[in-house]
Amino acid sequence: MTKMKAPELLFGWGNNTGFTGAGISAFDDLRPEAVVRELVQNSLDACRVAKVKKTKVIFRLEQVNRDEIPGIENYKEAFNAALEYQKSNITKQLPGQAENIANRIKQALEKPHLDILSIIDNGIGLDRSRMDALLSDGVSVKEKGASGTFGNGHFTAVPASDLRYILYGGVTKNNDRIGSGHAILASHLKEGEKHLRGADGFFIRDFEATKTTIYNYATGKEVPELISRDLNRIKSFSDHGTTVLITAFNNFLEKGSLWDLVAPSAAANFFIALVEDLLEIEVLDIRPEHKYKPQTLNSDTLEKVLIKNKENKKRTKNFLSGFDAYEAFQAYSKGKYEAICTNAGKVDAYFHEKQEGRSRIDLCRNGMWITNNIPTFRGQFTDLMPFHLVLTLDTNCGSDFHELIRLAEGPLHDSINLKRLDKKQSQKCRKALKEIKDWVLQFAEPIKSDSYTLPDFLNIDFGDNYGNSGKSRRSFSGKPVTLPTRPARSFQETDTDEMEIDPNPNPGPNPNPGPNPNPGPNPRPGTKTKPRQVYQDIFQVVSRPIGINRCRIHIDCQRNVSDIELRLIPDEAIDATCDRPNHDPQMPASLSNISVDGKPVNKQDHIVYENRTAGICLGNLVKDKIIEIETDYCLEGDFINLPPSAFRIELSKSTTIDKKPDMDS
């Protein structure tokens, strides 16, 4: 009897491919959101096929001996050969990005112990055909109605491994076990051979393609111990399931605990599945230097996780920020349920009225958030009172619309592009979207106001273009408010003539306390102040409230200017009579919690007056670049406890000039 060949990491014949080959580069944008989303989505799909009501996913981080990794000796040999071959060009060195990848691999191989992140689920498990699809590019065996389409989402996890080596294992209901792995390096020459080996290595017995499978896999007792241990863990709570092991896990190249990286990403993308108790995620970090503290994300802990991260307003392309995710969760949880019937089937809708801001529509499918940038919806609802609508599609509803949206999604299921559909499918999908749009126009409350119109100069982009990175939508929407009128007040003006250099390096308290209509920063020793040069013709500026005593300001500059300061001043000249078209000088509002383009303003850029921040230094502004400022404000002087009718945004030249040495001295 011929002895069966033991499994090892094998690289087949291939073309010349570097460490930054196109096959992996498309998925090289390493973010926790993308990796967690793809892995959890695959688990949800696997549980639907297995008819499992509740998906359980375990993220388990441990430290193992480097030599426990299956095929590691084959890996080292292939890496060294790839490094030598890729450097055998004229420059004798790797390109910059390839050099970084190679350095991370070398550093990982030098460590005696490596972190391994296992993602374990209770889905249908893996057999030969599913393993074939998993290790292929663009091949999928997912059934109709699943979340996946492209069959290459497994590449998403590769950048999370410093070795770029992922292991897979599955166990079925009959306890059939299978294991494999996929490493992505670069083309290389094996000693004694004339033809190139490819960049892709597979942990298999051999390359033996048949009509039913493409590789000869390790099965049964030949499944490596590292994979087999996870399969035993699956059998302890389920009859079947899959494990994905990310070798030399790099923590997504970010700081923070595993829980802090996984939980917010999963909560933002799967809040519907979690609310409906269809999903539970457990996070374990059992490395020696970490305390054993299992944490669970489920329907009970979801809101706590979302609240903790709702202050995060930083948007990543095609993914929800913490703030956006919390808003979507609130709309889904508190919105009024309606069923929208379209030509392509029923769509579940959750309609939630908003007090302010831009209307927003989120589309979710199979419990997973997809996008809030839906084709044909942009700019269609500006005449309606602001609302938040969550649309949900589910496999079980038997809707053609579900399948059309699935086919229109991108490889990471985070966008909709109708060009991915054929003509007939596209027409049907567009008709369904139009029917949803018409329903919204009928259901939502229109704006009614005879005393308020939106002038053209307010048509400026407010950065609320959810999920539409790089494209500008210019509108100013919200509930209209009639501006109250109050008598204008006069305030004491102060002399703004140029001051001499302050000889006192430690100035005492202000001898003339009281409102200063044009306060500048406290003069520093060795500086002098001058009147502010106010620009009137080169800025387009607009402000709106975004909360109690908080506003958002957008500045559009018509040309390059330098050393610009900003102050926020109550404007009493805006009234129905227009008797006082000139601005009265007023006490600027005190500012706090200030950000410019999403980044906190440094303290040295605060304009301090009488121990409060009366403005900020913006520095140099660039032509046609819109600046977004958010700030809390507090009114001073006679305006204390009074709501302002409006604000005047004052932009001026800096009031301080660094003293320069006398050129003659």
Side-chain angles (χ1 to χ4, degrees), residues 1-68:
M1 183 176 180
T2 305
K3 185 178 179 181
M4 190 170 291
K5 184 180 178 181
E8 56 185 334
L9 187 63
L10 300 178
F11 291 80
W13 311 116
N15 297 322
N16 190 15
T17 304
F19 284 101
T20 56
I24 185 63
S25 294
F27 296 89
D28 206 22
D29 187 7
L30 178 56
R31 291 166 292 170
E33 299 96 327
V35 180
V36 171
R37 178 189 178 93
E38 179 65 25
L39 293 168
V40 174
Q41 173 239 302
N42 287 341
S43 296
L44 283 167
D45 281 350
C47 285
R48 286 190 185 91
V49 175
K51 295 181 170 50
V52 173
K53 183 177 180 181
K54 186 172 183 177
T55 302
K56 182 171 183 179
V57 183
I58 301 174
F59 285 77
R60 186 178 187 277
L61 184 56
E62 64 177 326
Q63 194 175 84
V64 303
N65 189 304
R66 179 197 58 209
D67 295 334
E68 286 187 63

Side-chain angles (χ1 to χ4, degrees), residues 177-196:
R177 299 186 176 211
I178 191 170
S180 189
H182 184 192
I184 302 178
L185 294 174
S187 297
H188 54 279
L189 276 173
K190 200 170 181 180
E191 188 175 351
E193 295 180 344
K194 297 181 180 180
H195 301 288
L196 279 177

